[in-house]
Amino acid sequence: MRNSFVSTTLVFFMSGMILAHSAQIFSAHSEQIRAAHSQTPPTALAVSEIASGVFAHTGELALMTHHNEGSIANLGFIVGNDAVAAIDTGGSVREGRRLVAAIRARTTKPIRYVISTHVHPDHIFGNAAFESEDTIFVGHRNLSQALAARGRFYLDTFRRSMGDDLMAEVKIIAPTLAVADQVTLDLGGRALAIRAWRTAHTDNDLTVWDETSGTLFAGDLVVTRHVPVLDGSILGWLNVMDDLALIPAKRVVPGHGPVIDDWPTALQAQRSYLQQLTKDVRGLIAQGTPLAAAAATAAQAEKDRWALFEEYNARNATAAFAELEWE
């Protein structure tokens, strides 16, 4: 019996050793795969030259997921005689590296500026890919505060939905150049007018105006096909749109959706949505409708005109209700 017990114990002990050793081998192999993957040159992000020296990437009309690697926002870059400015960097460091690769496929000029149009993760999670470029990070004067307030929440939330492999390298990077009103960035023979807007889509929206080509990068202040997302002030946004319409742009790169070439006519769809939402919410407040019911019914007439309506409209109505009930 004692020999049998010893033999059985040895079997279990040796099996445990083998399993532990196998786990170590598997773990080491996984690390080697991850290391090899990180060393693989990234595939350049697909971009189109929409004007001379102006490039844009159109993201998917979708939520950020592991499958799409967070690549849902429109990104771009502008090349001057001396330097490059990138406008937004995408929803993961992986996408940011692909944007760097797209830039490097077209020029060796230094990437002097990374301009963040606002705080949302699909536009800024790629910023860390540009740190080694000795880049100046440009943002609205309110962006640092917004990042401090939301950064940890964004990282934790998207780590759960997108996975550790995509989120491991994402960092919250505060702007090193904060824009309070307007600044001009010189790329060499090409000046970019950066404007900080009052609260609209968010309280930290920037636009980039390239007068040389007549191109406006509007961030999420302007969207096409993708339902507008309210994270600031609905009344402020409607007012800002009036000012945006005065910019004599030949083309506009929205935060989401196809590049616009019929400016400012293309603003009408977005204006109609925000006006309908405002009208409905005001009416529901006047009727004494509870918030939850108002959120479920406001702006339903716009439902078939927008992608991701179901994902965002109730949230928009809730934000509008909170603002308009105090009028």
Side-chain angles (χ1 to χ4, degrees):
M1 284 292 292
R2 188 174 187 282
N3 289 340
S4 176
F5 174 78
V6 171
S7 299
T8 302
T9 302
L10 284 172
V11 168
F12 277 111
F13 177 74
M14 292 302 294
S15 297
M17 290 289 289
I18 291 168
L19 286 171
H21 184 60
S22 298
Q24 290 175 344
I25 293 172
F26 179 77
S27 176
H29 182 59
S30 297
E31 289 297 325
Q32 289 171 355
I33 291 173
R34 281 195 288 270
H37 183 71
S38 66
Q39 293 169 7
T40 302
T43 303
L45 198 65
V47 297
S48 299
E49 188 167 12
I50 59 174
S52 179
V54 181
F55 299 84
H57 166 77
T58 303
E60 293 183 32
L61 296 178
L63 299 176
M64 292 172 66
T65 65
H66 185 273
H67 177 72
N68 62 31
E69 298 185 350
S71 183
I72 65 169
N74 293 350
L75 319 175
F77 60 94
I78 300 174
V79 182
N81 292 335
D82 301 328
V84 179
I87 300 110
D88 288 334
T89 60
S92 65
V93 176
R94 191 173 298 173
E95 185 178 14
R97 289 198 178 106
R98 294 185 65 202
L99 179 59
V100 172
I103 295 171
R104 287 289 163 251
R106 288 158 179 84
T107 181
T108 58
K109 294 170 184 174
I111 304 170
R112 185 175 295 165
Y113 303 103
V114 165
I115 304 163
S116 297
T117 61
H118 62 287
V119 71
H120 291 156
D122 51 324
H123 295 261
I124 65 164
F125 269 5
N127 280 2
F130 290 81
E131 280 191 305
S132 62
E133 297 284 341
D134 194 26
T135 296
I136 297 169
F137 290 89
V138 183
H140 193 287
R141 66 179 175 183
N142 293 337
L143 181 58
S144 288
Q145 181 178 352
L147 289 170
R150 300 182 181 195
R152 175 49 54 188
F153 170 76
Y154 283 159
L155 291 174
D156 292 344
T157 299
F158 285 96
R159 184 171 289 110
R160 289 192 294 271
S161 63
M162 292 177 61
D164 287 336
D165 57 330
L166 278 175
M167 290 297 299
E169 296 178 283
V170 173
K171 295 198 295 187
I172 301 300
I173 299 177
T176 51
L177 174 59
V179 182
D181 183 17
Q182 295 189 64
V183 299
T184 299
L185 305 181
D186 183 12
L187 301 182
R190 189 165 215 155
L192 304 183
I194 313 302
R195 180 169 176 177
W197 295 86
R198 58 192 179 277
T199 302
H201 161 62
T202 69
D203 72 349
N204 50 83
D205 297 303
L206 284 185
T207 55
V208 181
W209 169 238
D210 175 40
E211 187 173 5
T212 300
S213 67
T215 303
L216 176 69
F217 282 82
D220 282 8
L221 284 172
V222 178
V223 291
T224 55
R225 299 186 185 173
H226 186 300
V227 70
V229 176
L230 178 60
D231 191 19
S233 165
I234 194 165
L235 299 181
W237 201 348
L238 285 165
N239 288 331
V240 162
M241 286 171 61
D242 291 337
D243 292 339
L244 286 168
L246 299 176
I247 298 173
K250 295 178 181 177
R251 67 197 60 79
V252 174
V253 181
H256 300 271
V259 174
I260 297 166
D261 58 10
D262 58 340
W263 183 260
T265 304
L267 270 178
Q268 187 52 45
Q270 178 174 305
R271 187 187 305 278
S272 294
Y273 171 78
L274 294 174
Q275 287 176 337
Q276 185 70 55
L277 183 60
T278 302
K279 177 184 176 181
D280 288 357
V281 170
R282 278 178 171 154
L284 291 162
I285 290 171
Q287 295 168 21
T289 306
L291 172 58
T297 58
Q300 288 298 311
E302 292 281 322
K303 180 177 180 179
D304 295 335
R305 299 188 177 103
W306 299 98
L308 301 175
F309 182 91
E310 294 291 351
E311 288 79 2
Y312 288 109
N313 184 66
R315 189 185 310 178
N316 290 344
T318 300
F321 192 103
E323 177 182 352
L324 297 173
E325 67 175 334
W326 299 108
E327 284 186 303

